Amino acid sequence: MTEHEAEPTQRRDQAHGDPGEDTAARQPTGQETSQETGQATGDDNGAQVSTGSETSGVPEAAIPELVIISGMSGAGRSTAAKCLEDLGWFVVDNLPPALIPTMVELGARSQGNVARIAVVVDVRGRRFFDNLRESLADLEAKHVTRRIVFLESSDEALVRRFESVRRPHPLQGDGRIVDGIAAERELLRELRGDADLVIDTSSLNVHELRAKMDAQFAGEEEPELRATVMSFGFKYGLPVDADLVADMRFLPNPHWVPELRPFTGLNEEVAAYVFNQPGAKEFLDRYAELLRLVAAGYRREGKRYVTIAIGCTGGKHRSVAMSEKLAARLAAEGVETVVVHRDMGRE
């Protein structure tokens, strides 16, 4: 991430065309809401929203697709929002959570002009943040499909970003930046647990974050499930955005084979060495079977994204080879899969 990621969105609007600037004028006020929307109700199958202004015989409007973007201050929420705006989404920055259902209703009445809505919710609206849970329950009662994207980052990366732009954290008050970060983590803990997609931006720049958002939202049709298979090295720490973690350190390490040490798990000889070890092929078969069971459950629960982390000591040989094989298995079974080798090349 660049230093601008820690800046408040309002400050960046003039220099970078942040979505908040373009959409601020379109945010409904309480007075407009009472005059324009009437009483909204959901139908039995969740496909329509009817409003008080509709009359008999007039087709009901389709419910827009909704994405809620949240996460840590300085983790890249504005970049993620700008990416969706570039993909044609109607983006509203820093909308009070209580108004999210109203935005959905207004989008439903737009005759298809607003088919996809992205809302950025952050601690700048902390006076309204307690209303988020109520709004999410309201959306669920009306059968509105919504997804939550949560931007995560390490404390060290966040401190570095805020210090680089010499800006205080929104919640630090008279304390330190780390105090504000800790308070925000606690405030967002429950929302992070409910997130459909968690993106760790600790080691990402702006372009890499945009690439991740494009990979998830650029397609015209949403696949049933998208998987990221990530190799990593335990000595560099666990991936904070991993849903599932597997440990390959039960296999002999190619690092101790002199002719294999310079290569990675992408090398055919290294991969052959790994999978010729007792238990390697059996692990692949059984773990792939386990993931079939997990993937079926994720689909039933409406979870669309899963990150599977495969680790070894340095993230160079065993985890890389296993990640490649596992990703190929998932892809062959119809799961859209992306492979990321987080720590390969760090040694």
Coordinates of all heavy atoms in Angstrom, one line a residue, residues 12-90:
R12 N -8.3 12.8 0.3 CA -7.8 12.4 -1.0 C -8.7 12.6 -2.2 O -8.4 12.5 -3.3 CB -7.5 10.9 -0.9 CG -6.4 10.5 -0.1 CD -6.0 9.1 -0.4 NE -7.1 8.2 -0.3 CZ -7.6 7.6 0.8 NH1 -7.0 7.8 1.9 NH2 -8.6 6.8 0.8
D13 N -10.0 13.0 -1.9 CA -11.0 13.2 -2.9 C -10.5 14.1 -4.0 O -10.6 13.8 -5.2 CB -12.3 13.7 -2.4 CG -13.0 12.7 -1.5 OD1 -12.6 11.5 -1.6 OD2 -13.9 13.1 -0.8
Q14 N -9.9 15.2 -3.7 CA -9.6 16.2 -4.7 C -8.4 15.7 -5.6 O -8.4 16.0 -6.8 CB -9.2 17.5 -4.0 CG -10.3 18.1 -3.2 CD -9.9 19.4 -2.5 OE1 -8.7 19.7 -2.5 NE2 -10.9 20.1 -1.9
A15 N -7.5 15.0 -5.0 CA -6.3 14.6 -5.7 C -6.5 13.3 -6.5 O -5.9 13.1 -7.5 CB -5.1 14.4 -4.8
H16 N -7.3 12.4 -6.0 CA -7.4 11.1 -6.6 C -8.8 10.7 -7.1 O -9.0 9.6 -7.6 CB -7.0 10.0 -5.6 CG -5.5 10.2 -5.2 ND1 -4.5 9.9 -6.0 CD2 -5.0 10.7 -4.1 CE1 -3.3 10.2 -5.4 NE2 -3.6 10.7 -4.2
G17 N -9.8 11.6 -7.0 CA -11.1 11.2 -7.5 C -11.7 10.1 -6.7 O -12.3 9.2 -7.3
D18 N -11.6 10.1 -5.4 CA -12.2 9.0 -4.6 C -13.7 8.9 -4.8 O -14.3 9.9 -5.0 CB -11.8 9.3 -3.1 CG -12.1 8.1 -2.3 OD1 -11.3 7.2 -2.1 OD2 -13.3 8.0 -1.8
P19 N -14.2 7.7 -4.7 CA -15.7 7.6 -5.0 C -16.5 8.4 -4.0 O -17.7 8.7 -4.4 CB -15.9 6.0 -4.8 CG -14.7 5.5 -4.1 CD -13.6 6.4 -4.5
G20 N -16.0 8.7 -2.8 CA -16.8 9.5 -1.9 C -17.2 10.8 -2.5 O -18.3 11.3 -2.2
E21 N -16.3 11.4 -3.3 CA -16.6 12.8 -3.8 C -17.7 12.7 -4.8 O -18.6 13.6 -4.9 CB -15.3 13.3 -4.5 CG -15.5 14.7 -5.1 CD -14.2 15.1 -5.8 OE1 -13.3 14.3 -6.0 OE2 -14.2 16.3 -6.2
D22 N -17.7 11.7 -5.7 CA -18.7 11.6 -6.7 C -20.1 11.2 -6.2 O -21.1 11.5 -6.8 CB -18.3 10.6 -7.8 CG -17.0 11.0 -8.5 OD1 -16.8 12.2 -8.6 OD2 -16.3 10.1 -8.9
T23 N -20.1 10.5 -5.1 CA -21.4 9.9 -4.6 C -22.0 10.7 -3.5 O -23.1 10.5 -3.1 CB -21.2 8.5 -4.2 OG1 -20.2 8.4 -3.2 CG2 -20.8 7.6 -5.3
A24 N -21.2 11.6 -2.9 CA -21.7 12.3 -1.7 C -23.0 13.0 -1.9 O -23.9 13.0 -1.1 CB -20.6 13.3 -1.2
A25 N -23.1 13.6 -3.1 CA -24.3 14.4 -3.4 C -25.5 13.5 -3.7 O -26.7 13.9 -3.6 CB -24.1 15.2 -4.7
R26 N -25.2 12.2 -3.9 CA -26.3 11.3 -4.1 C -26.8 10.6 -2.9 O -27.7 9.8 -2.9 CB -25.9 10.2 -5.2 CG -25.6 10.8 -6.5 CD -25.6 9.7 -7.6 NE -24.4 8.9 -7.4 CZ -23.3 9.0 -8.0 NH1 -23.0 10.0 -8.8 NH2 -22.3 8.1 -7.7
Q27 N -26.1 10.8 -1.8 CA -26.5 10.1 -0.5 C -27.9 10.7 0.0 O -28.0 11.9 0.1 CB -25.5 10.3 0.6 CG -24.2 9.6 0.2 CD -23.2 9.7 1.3 OE1 -23.6 10.0 2.4 NE2 -21.9 9.5 1.0
P28 N -28.8 9.9 0.2 CA -30.1 10.4 0.7 C -30.1 10.9 2.1 O -29.4 10.4 2.9 CB -31.0 9.1 0.6 CG -30.1 8.0 0.8 CD -28.8 8.4 0.2
T29 N -30.8 12.0 2.3 CA -31.0 12.5 3.7 C -32.2 11.9 4.3 O -33.1 11.3 3.6 CB -31.1 14.0 3.6 OG1 -32.3 14.4 2.9 CG2 -30.0 14.7 2.9
G30 N -32.3 12.1 5.6 CA -33.5 11.6 6.3 C -34.8 12.1 5.7 O -35.8 11.4 5.6
Q31 N -34.8 13.4 5.3 CA -36.0 14.1 4.8 C -36.4 13.4 3.5 O -37.5 13.1 3.2 CB -35.8 15.6 4.6 CG -37.1 16.3 4.1 CD -36.8 17.8 4.0 OE1 -35.7 18.2 4.3 NE2 -37.8 18.6 3.7
E32 N -35.4 13.2 2.6 CA -35.6 12.6 1.3 C -36.2 11.2 1.4 O -37.0 10.8 0.7 CB -34.3 12.6 0.5 CG -33.9 14.0 0.1 CD -32.5 13.9 -0.5 OE1 -31.8 13.0 -0.3 OE2 -32.1 14.9 -1.2
T33 N -35.6 10.5 2.4 CA -36.1 9.1 2.7 C -37.6 9.1 2.9 O -38.3 8.3 2.4 CB -35.3 8.5 3.8 OG1 -33.9 8.5 3.5 CG2 -35.7 7.1 4.0
S34 N -38.0 9.9 3.8 CA -39.4 9.9 4.2 C -40.3 10.3 3.1 O -41.4 9.8 3.0 CB -39.6 10.8 5.4 OG -39.4 12.2 5.1
Q35 N -39.9 11.1 2.2 CA -40.7 11.6 1.1 C -40.7 10.7 -0.1 O -41.6 10.6 -0.8 CB -40.2 13.0 0.6 CG -40.4 14.1 1.7 CD -39.8 15.4 1.2 OE1 -39.1 15.4 0.2 NE2 -40.1 16.4 2.0
E36 N -39.6 10.0 -0.3 CA -39.4 9.3 -1.5 C -39.6 7.8 -1.5 O -40.1 7.2 -2.4 CB -38.0 9.5 -2.1 CG -37.7 10.9 -2.5 CD -36.3 11.2 -2.9 OE1 -35.6 10.2 -3.1 OE2 -35.9 12.3 -3.1
T37 N -39.3 7.1 -0.4 CA -39.2 5.7 -0.4 C -40.5 5.0 0.0 O -40.8 3.9 -0.4 CB -38.1 5.2 0.5 OG1 -38.3 5.6 1.8 CG2 -36.7 5.7 0.0
G38 N -41.3 5.6 0.9 CA -42.5 5.0 1.4 C -42.1 3.8 2.3 O -41.0 3.7 2.8
Q39 N -43.0 2.8 2.4 CA -42.7 1.6 3.2 C -42.2 0.5 2.3 O -42.9 0.1 1.3 CB -44.0 1.2 3.9 CG -43.8 0.0 4.8 CD -42.9 0.3 6.0 OE1 -43.0 1.4 6.5 NE2 -42.2 -0.6 6.4
A40 N -41.0 -0.1 2.6 CA -40.5 -1.1 1.7 C -40.7 -2.5 2.4 O -40.5 -2.6 3.6 CB -39.0 -0.9 1.5
T41 N -41.0 -3.4 1.6 CA -41.2 -4.8 2.1 C -40.6 -5.8 1.1 O -40.5 -5.5 -0.1 CB -42.7 -5.2 2.3 OG1 -43.3 -5.1 1.0 CG2 -43.3 -4.3 3.3
G42 N -40.1 -6.9 1.6 CA -39.6 -8.0 0.8 C -40.7 -9.0 0.4 O -41.5 -9.3 1.2
D43 N -40.6 -9.6 -0.8 CA -41.6 -10.6 -1.1 C -41.1 -11.9 -0.7 O -40.1 -12.1 0.0 CB -41.8 -10.6 -2.6 CG -40.7 -11.0 -3.5 OD1 -39.6 -11.4 -2.8 OD2 -40.8 -11.1 -4.7
D44 N -41.9 -13.0 -1.0 CA -41.6 -14.3 -0.4 C -40.3 -14.9 -1.0 O -39.6 -15.6 -0.3 CB -42.8 -15.2 -0.7 CG -44.0 -14.8 0.1 OD1 -43.8 -14.1 1.1 OD2 -45.1 -15.2 -0.3
N45 N -40.0 -14.7 -2.2 CA -38.9 -15.4 -2.8 C -37.6 -14.5 -2.8 O -36.6 -14.9 -3.3 CB -39.2 -15.8 -4.3 CG -39.5 -14.7 -5.2 OD1 -39.3 -13.5 -4.8 ND2 -40.1 -15.0 -6.3
G46 N -37.7 -13.3 -2.3 CA -36.5 -12.5 -2.2 C -36.1 -11.8 -3.5 O -35.0 -11.2 -3.6
A47 N -36.9 -11.9 -4.6 CA -36.4 -11.4 -5.9 C -36.9 -10.0 -6.1 O -36.4 -9.4 -7.0 CB -37.0 -12.3 -7.0
Q48 N -37.8 -9.5 -5.3 CA -38.3 -8.1 -5.6 C -38.4 -7.3 -4.3 O -38.4 -7.8 -3.2 CB -39.7 -8.3 -6.2 CG -39.9 -9.2 -7.4 CD -39.3 -8.6 -8.6 OE1 -39.1 -7.4 -8.7 NE2 -38.8 -9.4 -9.5
V49 N -38.4 -6.0 -4.5 CA -38.7 -5.1 -3.4 C -39.8 -4.2 -3.8 O -39.8 -3.7 -4.9 CB -37.5 -4.2 -3.0 CG1 -37.9 -3.1 -2.1 CG2 -36.4 -5.0 -2.4
S50 N -40.9 -4.1 -3.1 CA -42.0 -3.2 -3.4 C -41.9 -2.0 -2.5 O -41.5 -2.1 -1.3 CB -43.3 -3.9 -3.2 OG -43.5 -4.4 -1.9
T51 N -42.3 -0.8 -3.0 CA -42.3 0.4 -2.2 C -43.7 1.0 -2.2 O -44.6 0.6 -3.0 CB -41.4 1.4 -2.8 OG1 -41.8 1.8 -4.1 CG2 -40.0 0.8 -3.0
G52 N -43.9 2.0 -1.3 CA -45.2 2.6 -1.1 C -45.7 3.3 -2.3 O -46.9 3.5 -2.5
S53 N -44.8 3.7 -3.2 CA -45.2 4.5 -4.4 C -45.6 3.7 -5.5 O -46.1 4.2 -6.5 CB -44.0 5.4 -4.8 OG -42.9 4.6 -5.2
E54 N -45.5 2.3 -5.5 CA -45.8 1.5 -6.6 C -47.4 1.3 -6.6 O -48.0 1.2 -5.6 CB -45.1 0.2 -6.5 CG -43.6 0.3 -6.7 CD -42.9 -1.0 -6.4 OE1 -43.5 -1.8 -5.7 OE2 -41.7 -1.1 -6.8
T55 N -47.9 1.1 -7.8 CA -49.3 0.9 -7.9 C -49.6 -0.5 -8.5 O -48.7 -1.1 -9.0 CB -49.9 2.0 -8.8 OG1 -49.3 1.9 -10.1 CG2 -49.8 3.4 -8.2
S56 N -50.8 -0.9 -8.4 CA -51.1 -2.2 -8.9 C -50.9 -2.3 -10.4 O -51.3 -1.4 -11.1 CB -52.6 -2.5 -8.6 OG -53.0 -3.8 -9.1
G57 N -50.3 -3.4 -10.9 CA -50.1 -3.6 -12.3 C -48.7 -3.1 -12.7 O -48.3 -3.4 -13.9
V58 N -48.0 -2.4 -11.9 CA -46.6 -1.9 -12.2 C -45.6 -3.0 -11.8 O -45.6 -3.4 -10.6 CB -46.4 -0.6 -11.6 CG1 -44.9 -0.1 -11.9 CG2 -47.4 0.5 -12.0
P59 N -44.7 -3.4 -12.7 CA -43.7 -4.4 -12.3 C -42.9 -4.0 -11.1 O -42.5 -2.8 -11.0 CB -42.9 -4.6 -13.6 CG -43.8 -4.1 -14.7 CD -44.6 -3.0 -14.1
E60 N -42.6 -4.9 -10.2 CA -41.8 -4.5 -9.0 C -40.3 -4.5 -9.5 O -39.9 -5.2 -10.4 CB -42.0 -5.5 -7.9 CG -43.4 -5.5 -7.3 CD -43.6 -6.5 -6.2 OE1 -42.9 -7.5 -6.3 OE2 -44.4 -6.2 -5.3
A61 N -39.5 -3.8 -8.8 CA -38.1 -3.6 -9.2 C -37.2 -4.7 -8.6 O -37.5 -5.2 -7.5 CB -37.6 -2.2 -8.7
A62 N -36.2 -5.0 -9.4 CA -35.2 -6.0 -9.0 C -34.3 -5.4 -7.9 O -33.9 -4.3 -7.9 CB -34.4 -6.4 -10.2
I63 N -33.9 -6.3 -6.9 CA -33.1 -5.8 -5.8 C -31.6 -5.7 -6.3 O -31.1 -6.6 -7.0 CB -33.1 -6.8 -4.7 CG1 -34.5 -6.9 -4.1 CG2 -32.1 -6.4 -3.6 CD1 -34.7 -7.9 -3.0
P64 N -31.0 -4.6 -6.1 CA -29.6 -4.5 -6.5 C -28.6 -5.4 -5.8 O -28.9 -5.8 -4.6 CB -29.2 -3.0 -6.2 CG -30.5 -2.3 -6.0 CD -31.4 -3.4 -5.5
E65 N -27.5 -5.7 -6.4 CA -26.5 -6.5 -5.7 C -25.8 -5.5 -4.7 O -25.5 -4.4 -5.1 CB -25.5 -7.0 -6.7 CG -24.4 -8.0 -6.2 CD -23.6 -8.5 -7.3 OE1 -23.8 -8.2 -8.5 OE2 -22.6 -9.3 -6.9
L66 N -25.4 -6.0 -3.5 CA -24.9 -5.1 -2.5 C -23.6 -5.7 -2.0 O -23.5 -6.9 -1.6 CB -25.9 -5.0 -1.4 CG -25.4 -4.2 -0.1 CD1 -25.1 -2.7 -0.5 CD2 -26.4 -4.3 1.0
V67 N -22.6 -4.9 -1.9 CA -21.3 -5.2 -1.3 C -21.0 -4.1 -0.2 O -21.1 -2.9 -0.5 CB -20.1 -5.3 -2.3 CG1 -18.8 -5.3 -1.5 CG2 -20.3 -6.5 -3.1
I68 N -20.7 -4.6 1.0 CA -20.3 -3.7 2.1 C -18.8 -3.8 2.3 O -18.3 -4.9 2.5 CB -21.0 -4.0 3.4 CG1 -22.6 -3.8 3.2 CG2 -20.5 -3.1 4.5 CD1 -23.4 -4.3 4.4
I69 N -18.1 -2.6 2.1 CA -16.6 -2.6 2.3 C -16.3 -2.0 3.6 O -16.8 -0.9 4.0 CB -16.0 -1.8 1.2 CG1 -16.3 -2.4 -0.2 CG2 -14.5 -1.7 1.4 CD1 -15.8 -1.5 -1.4
S70 N -15.5 -2.7 4.4 CA -15.1 -2.2 5.7 C -13.7 -2.7 6.0 O -13.1 -3.3 5.2 CB -16.1 -2.6 6.8 OG -15.9 -1.9 8.0
G71 N -13.3 -2.4 7.3 CA -12.0 -2.9 7.7 C -11.2 -1.8 8.4 O -11.8 -0.8 8.8
M72 N -9.9 -2.1 8.6 CA -9.1 -1.2 9.4 C -8.8 0.1 8.6 O -8.6 0.1 7.4 CB -7.8 -1.9 9.7 CG -8.0 -3.2 10.5 SD -8.7 -2.9 12.1 CE -7.4 -1.9 12.9
S73 N -8.7 1.2 9.4 CA -8.3 2.5 8.8 C -6.9 2.4 8.3 O -6.0 1.9 9.0 CB -8.5 3.6 9.8 OG -9.8 3.8 10.2
G74 N -6.7 2.8 7.0 CA -5.3 2.7 6.5 C -5.1 1.3 5.8 O -4.0 1.1 5.2
A75 N -6.0 0.4 5.7 CA -5.8 -0.9 5.1 C -6.2 -0.9 3.6 O -6.0 -1.9 3.0 CB -6.6 -2.0 5.9
G76 N -6.8 0.2 3.1 CA -7.1 0.2 1.7 C -8.5 0.2 1.3 O -8.9 -0.1 0.2
R77 N -9.4 0.7 2.2 CA -10.8 0.7 1.9 C -11.1 1.5 0.6 O -11.9 1.2 -0.2 CB -11.7 1.2 3.1 CG -11.6 0.2 4.3 CD -12.5 0.8 5.4 NE -12.2 2.2 5.6 CZ -11.8 2.6 6.8 NH1 -11.6 1.8 7.8 NH2 -11.5 3.9 7.0
S78 N -10.5 2.7 0.6 CA -10.8 3.6 -0.5 C -10.3 3.0 -1.9 O -11.0 3.2 -2.9 CB -10.1 5.0 -0.3 OG -10.7 5.6 0.8
T79 N -9.2 2.4 -1.8 CA -8.7 1.7 -3.1 C -9.7 0.6 -3.5 O -10.0 0.5 -4.7 CB -7.3 1.1 -2.8 OG1 -6.4 2.2 -2.6 CG2 -6.8 0.3 -4.1
A80 N -10.1 -0.2 -2.6 CA -11.1 -1.2 -2.9 C -12.4 -0.6 -3.5 O -13.0 -1.1 -4.5 CB -11.4 -2.1 -1.7
A81 N -12.9 0.5 -2.9 CA -14.1 1.1 -3.4 C -13.9 1.7 -4.7 O -14.8 1.6 -5.6 CB -14.5 2.2 -2.4
K82 N -12.7 2.3 -5.0 CA -12.4 2.9 -6.3 C -12.4 1.8 -7.3 O -12.8 2.0 -8.5 CB -11.1 3.7 -6.2 CG -10.8 4.4 -7.5 CD -11.8 5.4 -7.9 CE -11.4 6.2 -9.2 NZ -12.4 7.1 -9.6
C83 N -11.9 0.7 -7.0 CA -11.8 -0.4 -8.0 C -13.2 -0.9 -8.4 O -13.5 -1.1 -9.6 CB -11.0 -1.6 -7.3 SG -10.9 -3.0 -8.5
L84 N -14.1 -1.0 -7.4 CA -15.5 -1.4 -7.7 C -16.2 -0.3 -8.6 O -17.0 -0.6 -9.5 CB -16.3 -1.6 -6.5 CG -15.9 -2.9 -5.7 CD1 -16.9 -3.1 -4.5 CD2 -16.0 -4.1 -6.6
E85 N -15.9 1.0 -8.3 CA -16.4 2.1 -9.0 C -16.0 2.0 -10.5 O -16.8 2.2 -11.4 CB -16.1 3.4 -8.4 CG -16.8 4.6 -9.1 CD -16.4 5.9 -8.4 OE1 -15.2 6.2 -8.2 OE2 -17.4 6.6 -8.1
D86 N -14.7 1.7 -10.7 CA -14.2 1.5 -12.1 C -14.8 0.3 -12.8 O -14.9 0.3 -14.0 CB -12.7 1.3 -12.0 CG -12.0 2.6 -11.6 OD1 -12.6 3.7 -11.6 OD2 -10.8 2.5 -11.2
L87 N -15.3 -0.6 -12.0 CA -16.0 -1.8 -12.6 C -17.5 -1.6 -12.8 O -18.2 -2.5 -13.2 CB -15.8 -3.0 -11.7 CG -14.4 -3.6 -11.6 CD1 -14.3 -4.7 -10.6 CD2 -13.9 -4.1 -13.0
G88 N -17.9 -0.3 -12.6 CA -19.3 0.0 -12.8 C -20.3 0.0 -11.7 O -21.5 0.1 -11.8
W89 N -19.7 -0.2 -10.5 CA -20.6 -0.2 -9.3 C -20.9 1.2 -8.8 O -20.1 2.1 -9.0 CB -19.9 -0.9 -8.1 CG -19.7 -2.4 -8.3 CD1 -18.9 -3.0 -9.2 CD2 -20.3 -3.4 -7.5 NE1 -19.0 -4.4 -9.1 CE2 -19.9 -4.7 -8.0 CE3 -21.2 -3.4 -6.4 CZ2 -20.3 -5.9 -7.5 CZ3 -21.6 -4.7 -5.9 CH2 -21.2 -5.9 -6.5
F90 N -22.1 1.4 -8.2 CA -22.5 2.6 -7.6 C -21.9 2.6 -6.2 O -22.4 1.8 -5.4 CB -24.0 2.8 -7.6 CG -24.5 4.1 -7.1 CD1 -24.7 5.2 -7.9 CD2 -24.8 4.3 -5.8 CE1 -25.1 6.4 -7.4 CE2 -25.2 5.5 -5.2 CZ -25.4 6.5 -6.1

